[in-house]
Amino acid sequence: MEEKGEKVVSSAQLANKCMVNAAQVRKDLAYFGEFGIRGVGYFVKDLLNDIKRILGLNKEWKMALIGVGNLGSALLSYKDFLKLNYNIVAAFDIDPPKVIGRISEKLGKPVEVLHINRIKEVAKERKIEIGLIATPPSEAQRVADLLVEAEVKGILNFAPAQVTVPEGYVVKDVFFTTILDNLAYLLSN
Amino acid sequence: MEEKGEKVVSSAQLANKCMVNAAQVRKDLAYFGEFGIRGVGYFVKDLLNDIKRILGLNKEWKMALIGVGNLGSALLSYKDFLKLNYNIVAAFDIDPPKVIGRISEKLGKPVEVLHINRIKEVAKERKIEIGLIATPPSEAQRVADLLVEAEVKGILNFAPAQVTVPEGYVVKDVFFTTILDNLAYLLSN
DNA sequence: GGATGTGAAGTCGTTCACAGCT
DNA sequence: AGCTGTGAACGACTTCACATCC
């Protein structure tokens, strides 16, 4: 909406776009503060900034990728990260020489692929706060342990495996096969 | 648990593994029928079969991949699909010759990459029921329209774009940047 | 004895409806 | 005049607690 030059938006419009109830939009926003103007609506630009601040997107998040296979390569070349203030500043694999050729040919911005035993050292050095696990499932917990040891507080886990971390750390799973199962269920009815 | 040779499992054990309440497990399962034995629990093997049947996983789901870039290649080589009764039986791109070399070198089972204008024809021929959209976001809706035209009822959308389909069709999004935002929010507090 | 299946109770989230502002 | 912010009503989901059955 900002790109389209729209200045103001109402909760009803937002609700429409998000396929939810208008009161829901207002309640959710009001939870974090008063962002709207009664009788008018929300200023698009201000709201965008406020939401970004609420979500913690008003800073650059430095991320480490662990596992540079097919999925890892896809993540490395995912340009949209940059628009969203996320940045992969280090990549690790158990066999860096093997993968480095494979990705360097594809990428504009080359990210060196380091051996996983350097995670702790490099994570501290580059102030990495989020780790992306893109290894085979069998290695996911081991990698998570390394990230915890390196005090990387947030983990986005793409490996189809349960990963547990201590209090104070957060794991979010991206299990697209679960979503596929959901789709299959819906199609079966 | 089946692989470990465990014969019986209680709702309490399942709840523990899933980090939910035991009554929740029982209610959810009971919604679909009576699968347990009072005083005993659930037979692992039977429960697994029942759940698979409920989810619609007791058949092979034939899928089409549209967009063979980095992410598409990753999906093509995602071997775990096979274990889960999902199978990519066709891949499409706007420029097949360009991508075919890139993926054939990596894959055991080669899947030919066809031009997108053949979706309808091939989808019918191969009885494809699920489409995987792995194109740039700008093309997502266009591809969805093609899939609808080909009567592919289910869509798993990996492109960060809103996709709408008519009644009777289902779209499920895999927006991992949304999950990343969630992670960033949790880390900001 | 012990775990399931399930009404009843409790909790949480959503929606309504309108007072309060601009 | 119109839209937000919000208490109150509503509805849905979760948990409790126990009757039921193996």
Side-chain angles (χ1 to χ4, degrees):
Chain A
M1 294 185 77
E2 195 191 28
E3 283 170 3
K4 283 180 190 160
E6 305 192 39
K7 298 295 181 201
V8 182
V9 62
S10 69
S11 61
Q13 286 173 280
L14 289 170
N16 197 41
K17 277 191 196 281
C18 301
M19 310 263 282
V20 296
N21 183 287
Q24 185 83 70
V25 173
R26 294 199 299 277
K27 266 256 154 91
D28 286 359
L29 289 173
Y31 175 82
F32 294 101
E34 298 208 0
F35 304 112
I37 298 170
R38 296 173 191 218
V40 180
Y42 303 87
F43 287 115
V44 172
K45 195 170 179 173
D46 293 347
L47 186 58
L48 200 55
N49 282 331
D50 287 328
I51 292 174
K52 279 184 180 170
R53 187 173 36 72
I54 292 165
L55 291 177
L57 299 182
N58 54 345
K59 57 167 281 189
E60 189 204 10
W61 290 92
K62 291 182 179 164
M63 309 192 294
L65 170 69
I66 299 94
V68 191
N70 284 289
L71 176 59
S73 302
L75 290 172
L76 266 179
S77 61
Y78 191 71
K79 301 292 193 310
D80 287 5
F81 272 147
L82 298 173
K83 290 179 205 158
L84 295 157
N85 291 105
Y86 297 110
N87 203 358
I88 298 176
V89 297
F92 301 90
D93 202 285
I94 198 145
D95 190 2
K98 197 171 67 184
V99 294
I100 204 160
R102 226 159 90 194
I103 61 156
S104 61
E105 54 178 306
K106 296 189 200 168
L107 292 172
K109 165 200 72 168
V111 175
E112 58 196 329
V113 179
L114 309 171
H115 193 275
I116 44 168
N117 65 18
R118 294 187 59 197
I119 289 182
K120 190 171 180 179
E121 163 207 345
V122 176
K124 300 221 172 225
E125 190 180 293
R126 303 190 189 173
K127 301 196 187 311
I128 287 168
E129 292 172 286
I130 295 176
L132 309 175
I133 301 181
T135 62
S138 57
E139 310 304 318
Q141 183 61 59
R142 204 191 320 276
V143 168
D145 293 343
L146 289 173
L147 287 168
V148 168
E149 209 190 323
E151 289 176 62
V152 174
K153 293 288 197 301
I155 294 176
L156 194 65
N157 174 40
F158 289 86
Q162 276 181 339
V163 164
T164 58
V165 290
E167 189 79 22
Y169 290 80
V170 192
V171 180
K172 286 282 165 180
D173 299 307
V174 183
F175 291 169
F176 69 89
T177 53
T178 304
I179 305 178
L180 242 187
D181 290 346
N182 189 196
L183 190 59
Y185 170 71
L186 293 171
L187 292 176
S188 300
N189 293 278
Chain B
M1 293 186 77
E2 196 193 27
E3 284 169 2
K4 283 181 189 160
E6 304 191 41
K7 298 297 181 198
V8 182
V9 62
S10 69
S11 61
Q13 286 173 281
L14 289 170
N16 197 41
K17 277 191 196 282
C18 301
M19 309 264 280
V20 295
N21 184 286
Q24 185 82 73
V25 173
R26 295 198 297 278
K27 266 256 154 92
D28 286 357
L29 289 173
Y31 176 82
F32 293 101
E34 298 207 4
F35 304 112
I37 298 169
R38 298 178 190 215
V40 180
Y42 303 88
F43 287 114
V44 172
K45 195 169 181 173
D46 292 347
L47 185 59
L48 199 55
N49 281 331
D50 287 328
I51 292 174
K52 279 185 180 168
R53 186 172 38 72
I54 292 166
L55 290 178
L57 299 182
N58 55 344
K59 57 168 279 191
E60 190 204 10
W61 290 93
K62 291 180 179 165
M63 309 192 292
L65 170 70
I66 300 94
V68 191
N70 284 290
L71 177 59
S73 303
L75 290 172
L76 267 179
S77 62
Y78 192 71
K79 301 293 195 308
D80 287 5
F81 271 147
L82 298 173
K83 290 178 201 155
L84 294 157
N85 292 105
Y86 297 109
N87 205 357
I88 297 176
V89 298
F92 302 89
D93 201 286
I94 198 146
D95 189 4
K98 196 172 67 185
V99 294
I100 203 160
R102 225 159 90 196
I103 61 155
S104 61
E105 55 178 304
K106 295 190 201 168
L107 291 172
K109 164 199 71 167
V111 175
E112 58 196 329
V113 180
L114 309 172
H115 193 276
I116 44 168
N117 65 16
R118 295 187 59 197
I119 289 182
K120 190 171 178 177
E121 163 207 344
V122 177
K124 299 219 173 226
E125 189 181 293
R126 301 189 190 173
K127 301 194 187 314
I128 288 168
E129 293 171 285
I130 294 176
L132 309 176
I133 300 182
T135 63
S138 57
E139 310 304 316
Q141 183 61 59
R142 203 191 320 276
V143 168
D145 294 341
L146 289 173
L147 287 168
V148 168
E149 208 192 322
E151 290 177 63
V152 174
K153 294 288 197 301
I155 293 175
L156 194 65
N157 173 39
F158 289 85
Q162 276 181 339
V163 164
T164 57
V165 291
E167 188 78 24
Y169 290 79
V170 192
V171 179
K172 285 283 165 180
D173 299 308
V174 183
F175 291 169
F176 69 88
T177 53
T178 304
I179 306 178
L180 241 188
D181 290 345
N182 189 197
L183 190 58
Y185 170 70
L186 293 172
L187 293 176
S188 300
N189 294 277

